[in-house]
Amino acid sequence: MIPFMDLETQYLNIREEIDSAIFNVIHSYKFINGLEVATFEKNFATAQNLKYMLGLASGTAALHLAYEILGITSGDEVIVPAMTFIATAETVRQVGAKPVFADIDPVSFNIDCNGLEKLITPKTKAIVVVHLHGNPCEMDRIVSFAKKYNLKIIEDCAQAHLAEFQGQKVGTFGDVAAFSFYPGKNLGAYGDAGALGTNDETLYEKAKLLANHGRKEKYVHQTEGYNYRLDTLQAAILDVKLRHLPEWTEQRINIANTYHSLLKNLPITLPEMNPAKKHVYHIFAIATDRRQRIIEALKANQIAFGIHYPLPLHLQPAYSYLHYKPGDLPNSELLSTQFLSLPMYAELSRDNIEKICQVIASVY
Ligand SMILES: *Cc1c(COP(=O)(O)O)cnc(C)c1O
């Protein structure tokens, strides 16, 4: 059996550090706003090269706060790639605004920069980009597009911790960055967790206030807010894992390179390899018109797989109110039938990568 990811082996490799971090939080009894929260925020801000980092309860909370602190509100439109997890778009609706779905590029799998102009209306206020699977978007083009139309930029970095475009960390190009530490993410907590990053102090202060019931003092509330805090246990666990993240990221990149070299002669689309981008391979997704046959072969050999994502957002039942129809975003629709995510985690062995690639090659 080759699993899709292996959180058990990861834990066993760092067990002493994790166990003592958990023990220390329990014995501090500061389960909310403990010291470890500020420590992790500071260390993760440094890792992502952002001035301000606010630990939060989830990546979804980070996206919701990002739109709110940027003043996006009812009647506004936000450009959202159709190929992402629903959290990127449902939080647009949570502030009363409307997601306008953009197609993706068939090489990068990210938002298609060539198709953005036609989505602009007088109501467009922002664009959210998703560094899908850990591959950075073309941020130079996104930034100049946003400047031209006076749009805010939100970077959904949920899958892209430590990824870089032209040597610069993702999350530092836009106004606000949202990170997820869902357990399976490249940096994963032992439960739900997320963070909001920015270089703008005013935006940070707004987010901090909203995330903690709008208060600065215990029972004086400047505004109504939310309970979106990162809890101390998760922060302590994340701070331990953050120390290992650069090494785990390099291992993911090495594994991706091995996949590339073993699969390159097959008629399948591999993840983009672009020297301007540091892809961190949260997901190693291939695109193939023989998906079902490969799935059957993987199953027969007890190899786990995933599909990210099988239905683009514009065709989800949740968005029927926007009245999109099949054919509207052709690249997203085609790739949703072709994407196949292969096992990817720092501990994946060379032998297992070879086995996975042999099984795929056997289909051709
Ligand atoms: C995981 C993910 C989210 C949501 O993060 P949670 O921490 O699960 O709330 C948002 N966007 C993308 C692209 C994701 O992969």
Side-chain angles (χ1 to χ4, degrees), residues 56-58 181-183 189-194 230-231 234:
L56 291 168
S58 69
F181 309 121
Y182 182 83
Y190 285 177
D192 277 311
L230 172 65
D231 73 64
Q234 299 304 342

Side-chain angles (χ1 to χ4, degrees), residues 58-60 63 84-85 87-88 130 156 158-159 180-182 185 193 309:
S58 69
T60 307
L63 286 162
T84 177
F85 184 59
T88 320
V130 179
D156 184 336
Q159 306 185 356
S180 167
F181 309 121
Y182 182 83
K185 297 285 161 75
Y309 296 94

